[in-house]
Coordinates of all heavy atoms in Angstrom, one line a residue:
D1141 N 7.1 0.9 29.6 CA 7.8 2.2 29.5 C 7.1 3.0 28.4 O 7.0 2.6 27.3 CB 9.3 1.9 29.2 CG 10.1 3.2 29.2 OD1 9.6 4.2 28.9 OD2 11.3 3.0 29.6
S1142 N 6.7 4.2 28.7 CA 6.0 5.0 27.8 C 6.9 5.6 26.7 O 6.4 6.2 25.7 CB 5.3 6.2 28.5 OG 6.3 7.0 29.1
S1143 N 8.3 5.4 26.8 CA 9.2 5.9 25.7 C 9.1 5.0 24.5 O 9.6 5.4 23.5 CB 10.6 6.0 26.3 OG 11.1 4.7 26.6
F1144 N 8.5 3.9 24.6 CA 8.4 2.9 23.5 C 7.0 3.0 22.9 O 6.2 2.1 23.2 CB 8.8 1.5 23.9 CG 10.2 1.4 24.3 CD1 10.6 1.2 25.6 CD2 11.2 1.4 23.3 CE1 11.9 1.0 25.9 CE2 12.5 1.2 23.6 CZ 12.9 1.1 24.9
A1145 N 6.7 4.0 22.2 CA 5.3 4.2 21.7 C 5.1 3.3 20.5 O 6.0 3.0 19.8 CB 5.1 5.7 21.3
L1146 N 3.9 2.9 20.3 CA 3.5 2.1 19.2 C 3.5 3.0 17.9 O 3.1 4.1 18.0 CB 2.1 1.5 19.3 CG 2.0 0.5 20.4 CD1 0.5 0.0 20.5 CD2 2.9 -0.7 20.2
M1147 N 4.1 2.5 16.8 CA 4.1 3.3 15.6 C 3.6 2.4 14.5 O 4.1 1.3 14.2 CB 5.6 3.7 15.4 CG 5.7 4.6 14.2 SD 7.4 5.3 14.1 CE 7.8 4.9 12.5
K1148 N 2.7 3.0 13.7 CA 2.2 2.3 12.5 C 2.9 2.8 11.3 O 3.3 4.0 11.2 CB 0.7 2.6 12.3 CG -0.2 2.0 13.4 CD -1.6 2.4 13.2 CE -2.5 2.0 14.3 NZ -3.9 2.4 14.1
Q1149 N 3.2 1.9 10.4 CA 3.9 2.2 9.2 C 3.2 1.4 8.0 O 2.7 0.3 8.3 CB 5.4 1.8 9.2 CG 6.2 2.6 10.3 CD 7.6 2.0 10.4 OE1 7.8 0.9 10.7 NE2 8.5 2.9 10.2
A1150 N 3.4 1.9 6.8 CA 2.8 1.2 5.7 C 3.8 1.2 4.5 O 4.6 2.1 4.3 CB 1.5 1.8 5.2
I1151 N 3.7 0.1 3.7 CA 4.5 0.0 2.5 C 3.6 -0.4 1.4 O 2.8 -1.3 1.5 CB 5.6 -1.2 2.7 CG1 6.6 -0.9 3.8 CG2 6.3 -1.4 1.3 CD1 7.5 -2.0 4.1
I1152 N 3.8 0.3 0.3 CA 3.0 0.0 -1.0 C 4.0 -0.4 -2.0 O 5.0 0.3 -2.3 CB 2.2 1.2 -1.5 CG1 1.2 1.7 -0.4 CG2 1.5 0.9 -2.8 CD1 0.5 3.0 -0.8
D1153 N 3.9 -1.6 -2.5 CA 4.8 -2.2 -3.5 C 4.0 -2.1 -4.9 O 2.9 -2.7 -5.0 CB 5.1 -3.6 -3.2 CG 5.9 -4.3 -4.3 OD1 6.5 -3.6 -5.1 OD2 6.0 -5.5 -4.3
L1154 N 4.6 -1.3 -5.8 CA 3.9 -1.0 -7.1 C 4.6 -1.9 -8.1 O 5.5 -1.5 -8.7 CB 4.0 0.5 -7.4 CG 3.5 1.4 -6.4 CD1 3.9 2.9 -6.7 CD2 2.0 1.3 -6.3
G1155 N 4.0 -3.1 -8.3 CA 4.5 -4.0 -9.4 C 3.8 -3.8 -10.7 O 2.8 -3.1 -10.8
T1156 N 4.4 -4.4 -11.7 CA 3.8 -4.2 -13.1 C 2.4 -4.8 -13.1 O 1.5 -4.3 -13.8 CB 4.7 -4.9 -14.1 OG1 6.0 -4.3 -14.0 CG2 4.2 -4.7 -15.5
N1157 N 2.2 -6.0 -12.4 CA 0.9 -6.6 -12.5 C 0.1 -6.4 -11.2 O -1.1 -6.4 -11.3 CB 1.1 -8.1 -12.7 CG 1.6 -8.4 -14.1 OD1 1.0 -8.0 -15.1 ND2 2.6 -9.2 -14.2
T1158 N 0.7 -6.3 -10.1 CA 0.0 -6.3 -8.8 C 0.6 -5.2 -7.9 O 1.8 -5.0 -7.9 CB 0.2 -7.7 -8.1 OG1 -0.2 -8.7 -9.0 CG2 -0.7 -7.8 -6.9
F1159 N -0.3 -4.5 -7.2 CA 0.1 -3.6 -6.2 C -0.2 -4.3 -4.8 O -1.2 -4.9 -4.6 CB -0.7 -2.3 -6.3 CG -0.4 -1.4 -7.4 CD1 0.6 -1.8 -8.4 CD2 -1.0 -0.2 -7.6 CE1 0.8 -1.0 -9.5 CE2 -0.8 0.6 -8.7 CZ 0.2 0.2 -9.6
H1160 N 0.7 -4.1 -3.9 CA 0.6 -4.7 -2.5 C 0.6 -3.6 -1.5 O 1.4 -2.6 -1.6 CB 1.8 -5.7 -2.3 CG 2.0 -6.6 -3.4 ND1 1.4 -7.8 -3.5 CD2 2.9 -6.5 -4.5 CE1 1.8 -8.5 -4.6 NE2 2.7 -7.7 -5.2
L1161 N -0.2 -3.8 -0.4 CA -0.2 -2.9 0.7 C 0.0 -3.7 2.0 O -0.6 -4.7 2.2 CB -1.6 -2.2 0.8 CG -1.8 -1.3 2.1 CD1 -0.7 -0.2 2.2 CD2 -3.2 -0.7 2.1
L1162 N 1.0 -3.3 2.8 CA 1.3 -3.9 4.0 C 1.3 -2.8 5.1 O 2.0 -1.8 4.9 CB 2.7 -4.6 4.0 CG 3.2 -5.1 5.3 CD1 2.3 -6.3 5.8 CD2 4.7 -5.5 5.2
I1163 N 0.5 -3.0 6.1 CA 0.5 -2.1 7.3 C 1.0 -2.9 8.5 O 0.4 -3.9 8.8 CB -0.9 -1.5 7.5 CG1 -1.4 -0.7 6.3 CG2 -0.9 -0.6 8.8 CD1 -2.8 -0.3 6.4
V1164 N 1.9 -2.3 9.2 CA 2.5 -2.9 10.4 C 2.5 -1.9 11.6 O 2.4 -0.7 11.4 CB 3.9 -3.5 10.2 CG1 3.9 -4.6 9.1 CG2 4.9 -2.4 9.9
E1165 N 2.5 -2.5 12.7 CA 2.7 -1.7 14.0 C 4.0 -2.1 14.7 O 4.2 -3.3 14.9 CB 1.5 -1.9 14.9 CG 1.5 -0.9 16.0 CD 0.1 -0.9 16.7 OE1 -0.3 -2.0 17.2 OE2 -0.5 0.1 16.8
K1166 N 4.8 -1.2 15.0 CA 6.1 -1.5 15.6 C 6.0 -1.2 17.1 O 5.6 -0.1 17.5 CB 7.2 -0.7 15.0 CG 8.6 -1.0 15.6 CD 9.7 -0.2 14.9 CE 11.0 -0.6 15.5 NZ 12.1 0.2 15.0
N1167 N 6.4 -2.2 17.9 CA 6.5 -2.0 19.3 C 7.8 -2.5 19.8 O 8.1 -3.7 19.7 CB 5.4 -2.9 20.0 CG 5.4 -2.7 21.5 OD1 6.1 -1.9 22.1 ND2 4.5 -3.4 22.2
Q1168 N 8.7 -1.5 20.1 CA 10.1 -1.8 20.4 C 10.8 -2.4 19.2 O 10.9 -1.7 18.2 CB 10.2 -2.6 21.7 CG 9.7 -1.9 22.9 CD 9.8 -2.7 24.2 OE1 10.4 -3.8 24.2 NE2 9.2 -2.2 25.2
S1169 N 11.2 -3.7 19.3 CA 11.8 -4.3 18.1 C 11.0 -5.2 17.3 O 11.4 -5.9 16.4 CB 13.1 -5.0 18.6 OG 12.8 -6.0 19.5
A1170 N 9.7 -5.4 17.7 CA 8.8 -6.4 17.1 C 7.8 -5.6 16.2 O 7.4 -4.5 16.5 CB 8.1 -7.2 18.1
Y1171 N 7.5 -6.3 15.1 CA 6.4 -5.8 14.2 C 5.2 -6.7 14.2 O 5.4 -8.0 14.1 CB 7.0 -5.7 12.7 CG 8.0 -4.6 12.5 CD1 9.3 -4.9 12.7 CD2 7.6 -3.4 12.1 CE1 10.3 -3.9 12.5 CE2 8.5 -2.4 11.9 CZ 9.9 -2.6 12.1 OH 10.8 -1.6 11.9
Q1172 N 4.1 -6.1 14.2 CA 2.8 -6.9 14.1 C 2.1 -6.5 12.8 O 1.9 -5.3 12.6 CB 1.9 -6.7 15.3 CG 0.6 -7.4 15.1 CD -0.4 -7.1 16.3 OE1 -0.1 -6.3 17.2 NE2 -1.6 -7.6 16.2
T1173 N 1.8 -7.4 11.9 CA 1.0 -7.1 10.7 C -0.4 -6.8 11.1 O -1.1 -7.6 11.7 CB 1.1 -8.3 9.7 OG1 2.4 -8.6 9.4 CG2 0.3 -8.0 8.5
L1174 N -0.9 -5.6 10.7 CA -2.2 -5.2 10.9 C -3.1 -5.4 9.6 O -4.3 -5.7 9.8 CB -2.3 -3.7 11.2 CG -1.5 -3.3 12.5 CD1 -1.6 -1.8 12.7 CD2 -2.0 -4.0 13.7
F1175 N -2.5 -5.3 8.5 CA -3.2 -5.4 7.2 C -2.3 -5.8 6.1 O -1.2 -5.3 6.0 CB -3.9 -4.1 6.9 CG -4.8 -4.1 5.6 CD1 -6.1 -4.5 5.7 CD2 -4.2 -3.8 4.4 CE1 -6.9 -4.5 4.6 CE2 -5.0 -3.9 3.3 CZ -6.4 -4.2 3.3
R1176 N -2.7 -6.7 5.2 CA -1.9 -7.1 4.1 C -2.9 -7.5 3.0 O -3.8 -8.3 3.2 CB -1.0 -8.3 4.4 CG -0.3 -8.8 3.1 CD 0.6 -10.0 3.5 NE 1.8 -9.5 4.1 CZ 2.7 -10.3 4.7 NH1 2.6 -11.6 4.7 NH2 3.8 -9.7 5.2
E1177 N -2.7 -6.8 1.8 CA -3.6 -7.2 0.7 C -2.8 -6.9 -0.6 O -2.0 -5.9 -0.7 CB -4.9 -6.4 0.7 CG -5.8 -6.8 -0.4 CD -7.2 -6.2 -0.2 OE1 -7.5 -5.7 0.9 OE2 -8.0 -6.3 -1.2
S1178 N -3.1 -7.7 -1.6 CA -2.6 -7.5 -3.0 C -3.8 -7.3 -3.9 O -4.8 -8.0 -3.8 CB -1.8 -8.7 -3.4 OG -0.7 -8.9 -2.6
R1179 N -3.6 -6.4 -4.8 CA -4.7 -6.1 -5.8 C -4.1 -6.0 -7.2 O -3.0 -5.4 -7.4 CB -5.4 -4.7 -5.5 CG -6.2 -4.7 -4.2 CD -7.6 -4.8 -4.6 NE -8.5 -5.0 -3.5 CZ -9.7 -4.4 -3.3 NH1 -10.1 -3.5 -4.2 NH2 -10.4 -4.8 -2.3
P1180 N -4.8 -6.6 -8.2 CA -4.2 -6.5 -9.6 C -4.4 -5.1 -10.1 O -5.4 -4.5 -10.0 CB -5.1 -7.5 -10.3 CG -6.4 -7.6 -9.5 CD -6.0 -7.4 -8.1
A1181 N -3.3 -4.6 -10.7 CA -3.4 -3.3 -11.4 C -3.1 -3.5 -12.9 O -3.6 -2.8 -13.7 CB -2.3 -2.4 -10.8
K1182 N -2.2 -4.5 -13.2 CA -1.9 -4.8 -14.6 C -1.5 -3.6 -15.4 O -2.1 -3.4 -16.5 CB -3.0 -5.6 -15.2 CG -3.3 -6.9 -14.5 CD -4.4 -7.7 -15.1 CE -4.6 -9.0 -14.3 NZ -5.7 -9.8 -14.9
I1183 N -0.6 -2.8 -14.9 CA -0.2 -1.6 -15.6 C 0.5 -1.8 -16.9 O 0.6 -1.0 -17.8 CB 0.5 -0.5 -14.7 CG1 1.8 -1.1 -14.2 CG2 -0.4 -0.1 -13.6 CD1 2.7 -0.1 -13.5
G1184 N 1.1 -3.0 -17.0 CA 1.8 -3.4 -18.2 C 0.9 -3.9 -19.4 O 1.4 -4.0 -20.5
L1185 N -0.3 -4.2 -19.1 CA -1.2 -4.8 -20.0 C -1.4 -3.9 -21.3 O -1.7 -2.7 -21.2 CB -2.6 -5.1 -19.4 CG -3.6 -5.9 -20.1 CD1 -3.0 -7.4 -20.3 CD2 -4.9 -6.0 -19.4
A1186 N -1.2 -4.5 -22.4 CA -1.5 -3.9 -23.7 C -0.6 -2.7 -24.1 O -1.0 -1.8 -24.8 CB -2.9 -3.5 -23.8
G1187 N 0.6 -2.6 -23.5 CA 1.4 -1.4 -23.9 C 2.8 -1.5 -23.4 O 3.7 -0.8 -23.9
I1188 N 3.1 -2.2 -22.3 CA 4.5 -2.1 -21.7 C 5.6 -2.5 -22.7 O 6.7 -2.0 -22.7 CB 4.5 -2.9 -20.4 CG1 5.7 -2.5 -19.5 CG2 4.7 -4.4 -20.7 CD1 5.4 -1.2 -18.8
N1189 N 5.3 -3.5 -23.6 CA 6.3 -3.9 -24.6 C 6.6 -2.8 -25.6 O 7.7 -2.8 -26.2 CB 5.9 -5.2 -25.3 CG 5.9 -6.4 -24.4 OD1 6.6 -6.4 -23.4 ND2 5.1 -7.4 -24.7
Q1190 N 5.7 -1.8 -25.7 CA 5.9 -0.7 -26.6 C 6.4 0.5 -25.8 O 6.6 1.6 -26.3 CB 4.6 -0.3 -27.3 CG 4.2 -1.3 -28.3 CD 3.4 -2.5 -27.7 OE1 2.8 -2.4 -26.7 NE2 3.6 -3.7 -28.3
G1191 N 6.7 0.3 -24.5 CA 7.2 1.4 -23.7 C 6.1 2.4 -23.2 O 6.5 3.5 -22.9
I1192 N 4.9 2.0 -23.2 CA 3.8 2.9 -22.8 C 2.9 2.3 -21.7 O 2.9 1.0 -21.6 CB 2.9 3.4 -24.0 CG1 2.2 2.2 -24.6 CG2 3.7 4.2 -25.0 CD1 1.1 2.6 -25.6
I1193 N 2.3 3.1 -20.9 CA 1.3 2.7 -20.0 C 0.0 3.3 -20.5 O -0.1 4.5 -20.6 CB 1.6 3.1 -18.6 CG1 2.9 2.4 -18.1 CG2 0.5 2.7 -17.6 CD1 3.4 2.9 -16.7
T1194 N -1.0 2.4 -20.9 CA -2.2 2.9 -21.5 C -3.1 3.7 -20.5 O -2.9 3.6 -19.2 CB -3.0 1.8 -22.0 OG1 -3.5 0.9 -20.9 CG2 -2.2 0.9 -23.0
T1195 N -4.0 4.5 -21.0 CA -4.9 5.2 -20.1 C -5.7 4.2 -19.3 O -6.0 4.5 -18.1 CB -5.9 6.0 -21.0 OG1 -5.1 6.9 -21.8 CG2 -6.9 6.8 -20.2
E1196 N -6.1 3.1 -19.8 CA -6.9 2.1 -19.0 C -6.0 1.6 -17.9 O -6.5 1.3 -16.8 CB -7.3 1.0 -19.9 CG -8.4 1.4 -21.0 CD -7.8 2.0 -22.2 OE1 -6.5 2.0 -22.4 OE2 -8.6 2.4 -23.1
A1197 N -4.7 1.4 -18.2 CA -3.8 0.9 -17.1 C -3.7 1.9 -16.0 O -3.7 1.6 -14.8 CB -2.5 0.5 -17.7
I1198 N -3.6 3.2 -16.4 CA -3.5 4.2 -15.4 C -4.8 4.3 -14.5 O -4.7 4.4 -13.3 CB -3.2 5.6 -16.1 CG1 -1.8 5.6 -16.7 CG2 -3.4 6.7 -15.1 CD1 -1.5 6.8 -17.6
D1199 N -5.9 4.1 -15.2 CA -7.2 4.1 -14.4 C -7.2 2.9 -13.4 O -7.7 3.1 -12.3 CB -8.4 4.0 -15.4 CG -8.6 5.3 -16.2 OD1 -8.1 6.3 -15.8 OD2 -9.3 5.2 -17.2
R1200 N -6.7 1.7 -13.9 CA -6.7 0.6 -13.0 C -5.8 0.9 -11.8 O -6.1 0.6 -10.6 CB -6.2 -0.7 -13.7 CG -7.3 -1.3 -14.6 CD -6.8 -2.7 -15.1 NE -5.6 -2.7 -15.9 CZ -5.5 -2.4 -17.2 NH1 -6.6 -2.2 -17.9 NH2 -4.3 -2.4 -17.8
A1201 N -4.6 1.4 -12.1 CA -3.6 1.8 -11.0 C -4.2 2.7 -10.0 O -4.1 2.6 -8.8 CB -2.4 2.3 -11.6
L1202 N -4.9 3.8 -10.5 CA -5.5 4.8 -9.6 C -6.6 4.2 -8.8 O -6.8 4.6 -7.6 CB -6.0 6.0 -10.4 CG -4.8 6.9 -11.0 CD1 -5.4 8.0 -11.9 CD2 -4.0 7.4 -9.9
T1203 N -7.4 3.3 -9.4 CA -8.5 2.6 -8.6 C -7.9 1.9 -7.4 O -8.4 2.0 -6.3 CB -9.2 1.7 -9.5 OG1 -9.9 2.4 -10.5 CG2 -10.3 0.9 -8.7
V1204 N -6.8 1.1 -7.6 CA -6.2 0.4 -6.6 C -5.6 1.4 -5.5 O -5.8 1.2 -4.3 CB -5.1 -0.5 -7.1 CG1 -4.3 -1.2 -5.9 CG2 -5.6 -1.6 -8.0
L1205 N -4.9 2.4 -6.0 CA -4.3 3.4 -5.1 C -5.4 4.1 -4.2 O -5.1 4.4 -3.1 CB -3.4 4.4 -5.8 CG -2.1 3.7 -6.4 CD1 -1.4 4.7 -7.2 CD2 -1.3 3.2 -5.3
H1206 N -6.5 4.5 -4.8 CA -7.6 5.1 -4.1 C -8.1 4.1 -3.0 O -8.4 4.6 -1.9 CB -8.7 5.5 -5.0 CG -8.4 6.8 -5.7 ND1 -8.1 6.9 -7.0 CD2 -8.4 8.1 -5.3 CE1 -7.9 8.1 -7.4 NE2 -8.1 8.9 -6.3
Y1207 N -8.2 2.9 -3.3 CA -8.6 1.9 -2.3 C -7.6 1.8 -1.2 O -8.0 1.8 0.0 CB -8.8 0.5 -3.0 CG -8.9 -0.6 -2.0 CD1 -10.1 -0.8 -1.2 CD2 -7.9 -1.5 -1.8 CE1 -10.2 -1.8 -0.3 CE2 -8.0 -2.5 -0.8 CZ -9.1 -2.6 -0.1 OH -9.2 -3.6 0.8
F1208 N -6.3 1.7 -1.6 CA -5.3 1.7 -0.6 C -5.3 2.9 0.3 O -5.1 2.8 1.5 CB -3.9 1.5 -1.2 CG -3.6 0.2 -1.7 CD1 -2.4 0.0 -2.4 CD2 -4.4 -0.9 -1.5 CE1 -2.0 -1.3 -2.8 CE2 -4.1 -2.2 -2.0 CZ -2.9 -2.4 -2.7
R1209 N -5.6 4.1 -0.3 CA -5.7 5.3 0.5 C -6.8 5.2 1.6 O -6.7 5.7 2.7 CB -5.9 6.5 -0.4 CG -5.9 7.8 0.4 CD -4.5 8.1 1.0 NE -4.7 9.1 2.1 CZ -4.4 8.8 3.4 NH1 -4.0 7.7 3.8 NH2 -4.6 9.8 4.3
A1210 N -7.9 4.7 1.2 CA -9.1 4.5 2.1 C -8.7 3.6 3.2 O -9.0 3.8 4.4 CB -10.3 4.0 1.3
V1211 N -8.0 2.5 2.9 CA -7.5 1.6 4.0 C -6.5 2.3 4.9 O -6.6 2.2 6.2 CB -6.9 0.3 3.4 CG1 -6.2 -0.6 4.5 CG2 -7.9 -0.5 2.6
L1212 N -5.6 3.0 4.4 CA -4.6 3.8 5.2 C -5.3 4.7 6.1 O -5.0 4.9 7.3 CB -3.6 4.5 4.3 CG -2.7 3.6 3.5 CD1 -2.0 4.4 2.4 CD2 -1.7 2.9 4.4
H1213 N -6.4 5.4 5.6 CA -7.1 6.3 6.4 C -7.9 5.5 7.5 O -7.9 6.0 8.7 CB -8.1 7.1 5.5 CG -9.0 8.0 6.3 ND1 -8.5 9.2 6.8 CD2 -10.3 8.0 6.7 CE1 -9.4 9.9 7.4 NE2 -10.5 9.2 7.4
Q1214 N -8.4 4.4 7.2 CA -9.1 3.6 8.2 C -8.2 3.2 9.3 O -8.6 3.1 10.5 CB -9.7 2.3 7.5 CG -10.4 1.4 8.4 CD -10.8 0.1 7.7 OE1 -10.8 0.0 6.5 NE2 -11.2 -0.9 8.5
Y1215 N -6.9 2.9 9.0 CA -6.0 2.4 10.0 C -5.2 3.6 10.6 O -4.3 3.4 11.4 CB -5.0 1.4 9.4 CG -5.5 0.0 9.4 CD1 -6.3 -0.4 8.3 CD2 -5.3 -0.9 10.4 CE1 -6.8 -1.6 8.2 CE2 -5.8 -2.1 10.3 CZ -6.6 -2.5 9.2 OH -7.1 -3.8 9.2
E1216 N -5.6 4.8 10.3 CA -5.0 6.1 10.8 C -3.5 6.1 10.6 O -2.8 6.4 11.5 CB -5.4 6.2 12.3 CG -6.9 6.4 12.5 CD -7.3 6.5 13.9 OE1 -6.5 6.1 14.8 OE2 -8.4 6.9 14.2
I1217 N -3.1 5.8 9.4 CA -1.7 5.8 9.0 C -1.3 7.3 8.5 O -1.9 7.8 7.6 CB -1.4 4.8 7.9 CG1 -1.9 3.4 8.3 CG2 0.1 4.9 7.5 CD1 -1.2 2.9 9.5
A1218 N -0.4 7.8 9.2 CA 0.1 9.2 8.8 C 0.8 9.1 7.4 O 1.6 8.2 7.2 CB 1.1 9.7 9.8
P1219 N 0.5 10.0 6.5 CA 1.1 9.9 5.1 C 2.6 9.8 5.1 O 3.2 9.1 4.3 CB 0.6 11.2 4.4 CG -0.7 11.5 5.2 CD -0.5 11.1 6.6
E1220 N 3.3 10.5 6.1 CA 4.7 10.5 6.1 C 5.3 9.2 6.5 O 6.5 9.0 6.4 CB 5.2 11.6 7.0 CG 4.9 11.5 8.4 CD 3.5 12.2 8.8 OE1 2.8 12.6 7.8 OE2 3.2 12.3 10.0
T1221 N 4.5 8.2 7.0 CA 5.0 6.9 7.4 C 4.7 5.9 6.3 O 5.0 4.7 6.4 CB 4.3 6.4 8.7 OG1 2.9 6.2 8.4 CG2 4.5 7.4 9.8
V1222 N 4.2 6.3 5.1 CA 4.0 5.4 4.0 C 5.1 5.5 3.0 O 5.6 6.6 2.6 CB 2.6 5.8 3.3 CG1 2.4 4.8 2.1 CG2 1.5 5.7 4.2
V1223 N 5.6 4.3 2.6 CA 6.7 4.2 1.6 C 6.2 3.5 0.5 O 5.5 2.4 0.6 CB 7.9 3.5 2.2 CG1 9.0 3.4 1.2 CG2 8.5 4.3 3.4
A1224 N 6.4 4.0 -0.7 CA 6.0 3.3 -2.0 C 7.2 2.9 -2.8 O 8.2 3.6 -2.8 CB 5.1 4.1 -2.8

C-alpha cells in the first residue's frame, strides 16, 4: 500500500561526555536502524565543575556535530526530522 511511505528519522543525544547519533527508517509500525554511532565530545572536561564549558570543549562538540551533519546529509535526512 503506497499510503505507508518509508520515513527516515534521526535522534542526536548530547551527553556530557559522548554524543550519539541514531538514524532509523520507519515502515508502518516497525523501525529499522540505518546508522548508529557514538563519538566522544567531553564537553564537561576541565570546566563543568566550575559551571563553564571551555572553548576547547565547544570545539570538540562542534567537530562531532559537523560529522553528524555530514552523516545526516549522506542518509538524506530532512532537518525537520532530526531531534536533539
Side-chain angles (χ1 to χ4, degrees):
D1141 188 328
S1142 63
S1143 65
F1144 294 108
L1146 295 176
M1147 185 170 127
K1148 295 180 186 176
Q1149 297 173 302
I1151 299 170
I1152 299 173
D1153 176 18
L1154 305 168
T1156 304
N1157 289 309
T1158 308
F1159 290 1
H1160 311 273
L1161 173 60
L1162 173 66
I1163 299 172
V1164 297
E1165 188 168 58
K1166 183 179 181 184
N1167 183 1
Q1168 295 178 10
S1169 62
Y1171 289 90
Q1172 176 185 0
T1173 298
L1174 301 178
F1175 183 88
R1176 173 182 283 174
E1177 186 168 347
S1178 299
R1179 290 258 169 138
K1182 300 181 181 178
I1183 62 170
L1185 190 65
I1188 201 75
N1189 290 335
Q1190 293 78 36
I1192 61 168
I1193 298 176
T1194 65
T1195 301
E1196 293 83 5
I1198 292 170
D1199 289 344
R1200 285 192 299 274
L1202 290 174
T1203 296
V1204 175
L1205 291 173
H1206 281 105
Y1207 167 73
F1208 284 175
R1209 182 65 199 117
V1211 173
L1212 293 167
H1213 181 73
Q1214 176 186 350
Y1215 280 86
E1216 299 177 340
I1217 304 299
E1220 62 272 11
T1221 65
V1222 179
V1223 177

